[in-house]
Amino acid sequence: MAMETGEDEWKVCCGSSDFAKMMVDSAPFESLEAAIHTARDIWFNLVNVTAWLEAFSAHPQIGDTPSPSSINSDFTRWSEAEQSTAFATTSSSALKELADWNVRYKKKFGFIFIICASGKTHAEMLAALKERYENRPIVELEVAATEQMKITELRMAKLFSDKARVVSETTISTTPQDRLRIIGGHLNVAAESKAIKRSRPPITTHVLDVSRGTPAAGVEVHLEVWSGTTGPSFGHGGGGVWSSVGTSATDKDGRSGPLMDLVEALNPGTYRISFNTAKYCPGCFFPYVSIVFRVTESQKLEHFHVPLLLAPFSFSTYRGS
């Protein structure tokens, strides 16, 4: 059964207006899995950093009580439930320490500490906050966005569960024919959910210049696949060669153009994605960077996003002792 969901409901899952609008435009979804697949693509590939920051700002700080007047009441209720385990028995001194670290974190990064709180203790979240405080701002932005997606997926699962319960309560059948029709519909949905339509090629990338704290534009990117009877291994080429799949360059947001065709199932194998860092930063320490990864048969329907954090130190400024 296809799920129709309004923009306000998507904003309960994720506080970004752009995300909510794109989810509405992409609806209906035949299954939770299909919706999550689309949500990940929108969140990591389509919306910009401003949308990320809007979603972050919708949350209360970890350890704080949400303000019902400032956000959706369902958002408030779910935020409280997600943090309830961690702070049910937390002492006032522990809350004070967390509040102090929240202030330090926001002062450094410009946004509040985001973590998927469900099932975590106060001590675990405080430890994660202290560890992530050491990150560079552009790295921490990616980490926070990943945590936001975890929260979004948990809330989407609850949203779909609530909607399914409402539907089941309002469509009770008494005849055998109706019961068979409903069961058959569920079976069809299960079969259709396995054939999720992609909106992006299965392999994508983007490059961030951590020395400047900005996306790296104009980096040439080359994708290859290994062709041979045996796969390459560390220190050995193996019995085969690398074959080109596609070449592109990063845009102003640091994202590359399509590196391959929009195919539903990615051919299993070993892939290599290479970045022409010397062209981006002439004289840099690493003239190019290659990342090799393997896609198995069970992963051929998945999406692989391969980011590169670039610190283009020149040899003269990065000299060992």
Side-chain angles (χ1 to χ4, degrees):
M1 182 180 299
M3 288 289 183
E4 291 282 1
T5 305
E7 192 172 316
D8 288 343
E9 292 173 299
W10 287 121
K11 286 200 71 174
V12 174
C13 298
C14 176
S16 162
S17 300
D18 287 346
F19 172 87
K21 291 174 182 176
M22 290 184 188
M23 288 297 289
V24 170
D25 292 342
S26 301
F29 302 105
E30 296 293 345
S31 67
L32 172 61
E33 291 76 14
I36 287 177
H37 181 274
T38 299
R40 288 174 179 170
D41 183 51
I42 289 173
W43 184 246
F44 290 114
N45 295 318
L46 300 182
V47 300
N48 57 26
V49 172
T50 301
W52 287 3
L53 295 176
E54 182 189 7
F56 298 167
S57 66
H59 292 279
Q61 289 193 133
I62 292 295
D64 286 355
T65 301
S67 171
S69 62
S70 61
I71 48 179
N72 185 293
S73 60
D74 286 333
F75 196 107
T76 302
R77 177 168 50 84
W78 286 4
S79 293
E80 289 176 337
E82 288 158 1
Q83 296 189 34
S84 61
T85 300
F87 300 106
T89 58
T90 304
S91 66
S92 58
S93 61
L95 287 174
K96 175 64 167 57
E97 182 183 14
L98 182 61
D100 291 342
W101 273 96
N102 274 330
V103 171
R104 294 176 64 183
Y105 180 97
K106 188 173 183 180
K107 184 177 180 180
K108 177 177 180 179
F109 297 112
F111 51 86
I112 68 168
F113 177 65
I114 300 294
I115 190 170
C116 185
S118 294
K120 290 185 175 63
T121 65
H122 158 266
E124 288 172 335
M125 287 190 283
L126 180 58
L129 194 162
K130 291 179 178 179
E131 179 181 356
R132 285 167 51 185
Y133 180 81
E134 302 301 323
N135 287 340
R136 294 178 66 94
I138 200 162
V139 175
E140 181 56 20
L141 182 63
E142 288 270 340
V143 175
T146 300
E147 289 295 315
Q148 172 62 57
M149 192 66 238
K150 293 178 184 177
I151 297 169
T152 301
E153 290 180 22
L154 287 176
R155 294 185 178 188
M156 287 173 63
K158 179 170 177 52
L159 180 64
F160 269 64
S161 176
D162 289 348
K163 281 185 168 288
R165 185 174 64 252
V166 170
V167 170
S168 66
E169 289 173 353
T170 57
T171 58
I172 298 175
S173 287
T174 56
T175 67
Q177 291 84 355
D178 283 343
R179 286 196 292 271
L180 286 173
R181 176 178 53 79
I182 292 171
I183 292 172
H186 285 302
L187 292 175
N188 289 336
V189 167
E192 291 170 4
S193 67
K194 295 180 180 178
I196 299 171
K197 298 299 182 183
R198 293 187 189 271
S199 58
R200 289 290 177 93
I203 298 176
T204 58
T205 186
H206 75 278
V207 184
L208 300 175
D209 186 337
V210 298
S211 68
R212 299 175 180 172
T214 61
V219 179
E220 183 181 347
V221 186
H222 190 195
L223 179 65
E224 301 164 286
V225 65
W226 181 258
S227 301
T229 54
T230 59
S233 59
F234 181 74
H236 301 281
V241 295
W242 290 105
S243 301
S244 178
V245 176
T247 299
S248 185
T250 57
D251 60 17
K252 62 182 179 63
D253 295 320
R255 302 183 187 278
S256 76
L259 293 168
M260 63 185 308
D261 294 335
L262 184 61
V263 295
E264 201 60 36
L266 179 62
N267 289 328
T270 302
Y271 291 83
R272 180 170 71 182
I273 188 167
S274 300
F275 305 85
N276 187 354
T277 48
K279 185 176 180 180
Y280 174 77
C281 180
C284 64
F285 187 65
F286 298 101
Y288 69 91
V289 175
S290 292
I291 300 172
V292 178
F293 57 99
R294 180 173 293 126
V295 178
T296 64
E297 176 68 26
S298 63
Q299 298 172 316
K300 65 184 182 181
L301 296 179
E302 296 182 18
H303 176 257
F304 298 88
H305 188 67
V306 188
L308 177 68
L309 301 179
L310 181 62
F313 300 106
S314 66
F315 185 72
S316 60
T317 60
Y318 187 74
R319 193 184 301 274
S321 58

